[in-house]
Amino acid sequence: MTQELVSLTIIMAVAAVSPIVAQLIPGRFIPQTVLLLVTGAALGPYGLGVIEVNDAVKLLSELGMAFLFLLAGYEIDPKRLAGHQGKVGLLTWGITLGLAWLVVTFLPFFTKQGINGVATVIALTTTALGTLMPILKERNLEGTPIGDAIISYGTWGELGPILAMAILLSTRTGWQTMLVLGAFLAICLLCAMLPTKALKTGHRLYRFLTENANTSSQTLMRLTTFLLIFLVTISALFELDAVLGAFAAGFILRYIIPDGSKSLEMKLEGVGYGFLIPVFFVVSGAAINVRAVAGRPALLVAFIVMLMLIRAVPVYVALSLDKRENPLSSHHRVTVALYCTTALPIIVAVTSLAVKVGTMQSDTASTLVAAGAITVFLMPLLGSITYQVADVHPVTAVREIAHTPSDWRTIVREHAQVRALLHHQDRLKRMAETLKSLEKQEGLNGLDSRRAELVERARLEIDRQLKELGLDPQLTTQLPHNYRYPKN
């Protein structure tokens, strides 16, 4: 027990220090997740060996992964899946799966590396939506057209591989697999329908649960945790991956509470991101054999390149062909595609399963997990760069400078100023929508009224500055990233 506590103490020390270090890094371009993974690899069994991944730590890590996918499933709006962008996202993921199968099967490189199996195909089609959500929130992308596109395409990048793992990596025959999945689906439907009916009928038990949600009983939090562990246990009993049960629990929770619950969300994020999820990432880092990764640099680089070609390119093409529904600039389409190429948790799950059944060597699995860890750092960084570059419109700026080279300072300053203005305009728009929603639901108190006044004053100031630059505020409100610069 002493060794378990020592390992857990070190892991939590890493978890506590990581956000402080991430904040101190200029530009905050390294997500906390990357620091957790790197530190785990340095302190784990293949590094300094001060973290021992024993059964107790493994259990907490599994619960951390479960909470990560619970929160990922909870972020999914069922209406989004059934909507136009959701259907396009599904089709895009299907094309991604086909491309991955063709590349892994027929490209000699993967055959020589001994990873021309189904596990590698699935790993090349994933998007780490659960990992991306906190990054999107930190960078104020949630609720923007770019953030909505990332979630729509990323949803199928997470849900698709989970279903593919359950079907394609099963050791059962085809009809047995479908029978087990059907039974699991029936249990999930039962878990979703019972609370929904109790909510509609106003059952006494439902009233009791809601009235005691924020007392020492913490009824809703306990029921949510029970639902999560219950479905993860059912997944284990059915010999399915725990990821499927955790993701289903989050999806069911969103179905029961379609409008969300701020109180419950704060508690889930507190338990998840405050304790269990950091344990999962540190332990995932500890599973990386750094020497094995260093010995196979070609595989590491090739896998990242293949991820970009197989996952990012189809997303970019889909966004380009679907301009009517997604009026994004080319830079922003690149941003969405890069974010959707972020991959890690599914890679950890699928490689662990492949190693367990003997279809993949542990050294190869370490290299693929390391590649996934690099994408958590690299893709959001590249996406952040393209996002900022998009609002500056560098091509337009170069053309203007070529037309009047003597005004290059003014042109660069105006382009940078417009980028900042539009960034603040997007944030003000979201804040105004939030205040409007609060006003409808509860009425504004004195503090909210002052906030609303500040939002309006700031909006008027931004409109004034946009007009000075020769821009139409009404046009930039409707299409914030599709404006015209004044001719020099």
Side-chain angles (χ1 to χ4, degrees):
M1 179 60 73
T2 303
Q3 183 56 49
E4 286 88 340
L5 288 174
V6 170
S7 295
L8 185 58
T9 299
I10 296 171
I11 290 171
M12 293 315 300
V14 172
V17 171
S18 292
I20 300 173
V21 175
Q23 180 71 26
L24 293 175
I25 296 174
R28 293 188 294 176
F29 63 93
I30 299 181
Q32 298 176 34
T33 303
V34 174
L35 298 177
L36 294 171
L37 289 164
V38 171
T39 310
L43 302 180
Y46 299 105
L48 298 177
V50 295
I51 295 177
E52 181 180 319
V53 184
N54 43 55
D55 290 341
V57 173
K58 281 183 181 178
L59 177 60
L60 289 175
S61 175
E62 290 287 331
L63 289 174
M65 184 172 67
F67 259 87
L68 182 66
F69 281 97
L70 168 77
L71 292 170
Y74 180 74
E75 293 289 346
I76 296 174
D77 184 355
K79 294 179 182 178
R80 192 191 299 272
L81 286 179
H84 173 79
Q85 204 169 47
K87 293 175 182 176
V88 175
L90 173 59
L91 177 62
T92 304
W93 182 80
I95 293 172
T96 300
L97 182 65
L99 287 174
W101 180 79
L102 288 172
V103 168
V104 171
T105 303
F106 295 105
L107 197 67
F109 175 81
F110 286 96
T111 304
K112 291 178 181 178
Q113 298 291 332
I115 53 170
N116 56 337
V118 176
T120 308
V121 172
I122 295 173
L124 285 168
T125 66
T126 181
T127 297
L129 184 62
T131 306
L132 280 176
M133 288 311 301
I135 297 175
L136 296 181
K137 291 177 181 178
E138 289 173 7
R139 297 181 177 179
N140 297 309
L141 289 175
E142 193 178 28
T144 65
I146 292 174
D148 290 343
I150 292 170
I151 293 174
S152 293
Y153 286 88
T155 293
W156 285 110
E158 191 135 59
L159 180 58
I162 290 172
L163 295 175
M165 285 174 61
I167 296 171
L168 301 178
L169 293 180
S170 174
T171 57
R172 305 181 183 91
T173 60
W175 70 268
Q176 289 175 330
T177 299
M178 299 312 297
L179 184 63
V180 167
L181 287 175
F184 181 79
L185 177 61
I187 293 172
C188 290
L189 290 174
L190 187 63
C191 291
M193 296 305 297
L194 288 178
T196 305
K197 288 194 173 184
L199 187 152
K200 289 180 179 178
T201 58
H203 195 275
R204 283 186 298 175
L205 177 60
Y206 174 77
R207 291 199 301 272
F208 170 80
L209 294 175
T210 53
E211 288 170 0
N212 290 273
N214 295 315
T215 66
S216 59
S217 299
Q218 293 293 321
T219 47
L220 290 182
M221 183 63 185
R222 293 185 188 185
L223 275 177
T224 301
T225 307
F226 166 73
L227 173 67
L228 172 63
I229 296 177
F230 172 71
L231 289 180
V232 168
T233 303
I234 293 295
S235 299
L237 292 174
F238 285 177
E239 296 182 0
L240 300 169
D241 197 271
V243 168
L244 180 62
F247 199 83
F251 195 76
I252 290 169
L253 188 62
R254 172 58 72 181
Y255 177 80
I256 297 171
I257 316 173
D259 296 327
S261 169
K262 290 294 182 184
S263 175
L264 181 60
E265 290 166 20
M266 288 180 64
K267 294 168 188 174
L268 289 172
E269 290 179 355
V271 174
Y273 292 117
F275 176 34
L276 294 171
I277 293 175
V279 175
F280 164 68
F281 283 120
V282 173
V283 172
S284 297
I288 297 175
N289 187 338
V290 180
R291 292 185 181 86
V293 174
R296 307 183 72 176
L299 176 59
L300 181 73
V301 174
F303 191 78
I304 295 174
V305 171
M306 285 297 112
L307 270 172
M308 296 183 70
L309 292 176
I310 291 172
R311 184 67 184 138
V313 172
V315 171
Y316 179 84
V317 172
L319 286 167
S320 300
L321 295 176
D322 192 34
K323 278 188 176 181
R324 182 178 61 82
E325 295 291 334
N326 303 288
L328 299 176
S329 68
S330 59
H331 290 83
H332 286 150
R333 294 197 294 273
V334 171
T335 298
V336 174
L338 288 170
Y339 272 103
C340 287
T341 313
T342 304
L344 180 65
I346 292 291
I347 294 179
V348 173
V350 74
T351 54
S352 298
L353 186 59
V355 170
K356 189 182 297 182
V357 298
T359 58
M360 184 180 291
Q361 296 179 354
S362 59
D363 288 357
T364 303
S366 288
T367 306
L368 299 191
V369 171
I374 290 173
T375 65
V376 175
F377 160 71
L378 183 62
M379 300 309 168
L381 174 62
L382 295 177
S384 177
I385 293 172
T386 57
Y387 178 69
Q388 294 180 26
V389 167
D391 289 337
V392 177
H393 277 217
V395 176
T396 307
V398 169
R399 287 174 181 171
E400 292 177 1
I401 292 171
H403 186 263
T404 53
S406 60
D407 293 337
W408 71 269
R409 289 186 180 86
T410 303
I411 294 170
V412 170
R413 185 177 67 253
E414 287 182 349
H415 279 249
Q417 186 178 359
V418 170
R419 185 196 69 79
L421 288 171
L422 291 174
H423 174 69
H424 290 301
Q425 190 179 48
D426 286 344
R427 295 186 64 184
L428 286 168
K429 183 179 178 181
R430 293 198 300 274
M431 189 183 297
E433 290 173 352
T434 301
L435 289 169
K436 189 175 181 180
S437 175
L438 287 172
E439 184 177 15
K440 287 181 179 179
Q441 294 176 6
E442 303 171 1
L444 290 172
N445 56 33
L447 177 61
D448 290 328
S449 297
R450 288 193 294 273
R451 285 175 62 197
E453 183 181 351
L454 287 173
V455 169
E456 186 60 28
R457 287 171 60 186
R459 195 202 310 275
L460 291 173
E461 176 62 20
I462 283 181
D463 287 351
R464 184 186 67 77
Q465 294 187 40
L466 286 171
K467 288 177 181 178
E468 286 182 359
L469 290 169
L471 300 173
D472 183 355
Q474 296 301 320
L475 177 62
T476 56
T477 297
Q478 295 170 6
L479 295 173
H481 302 295
N482 186 20
Y483 49 82
R484 294 181 179 178
Y485 283 90
K487 297 295 183 182
N488 290 293

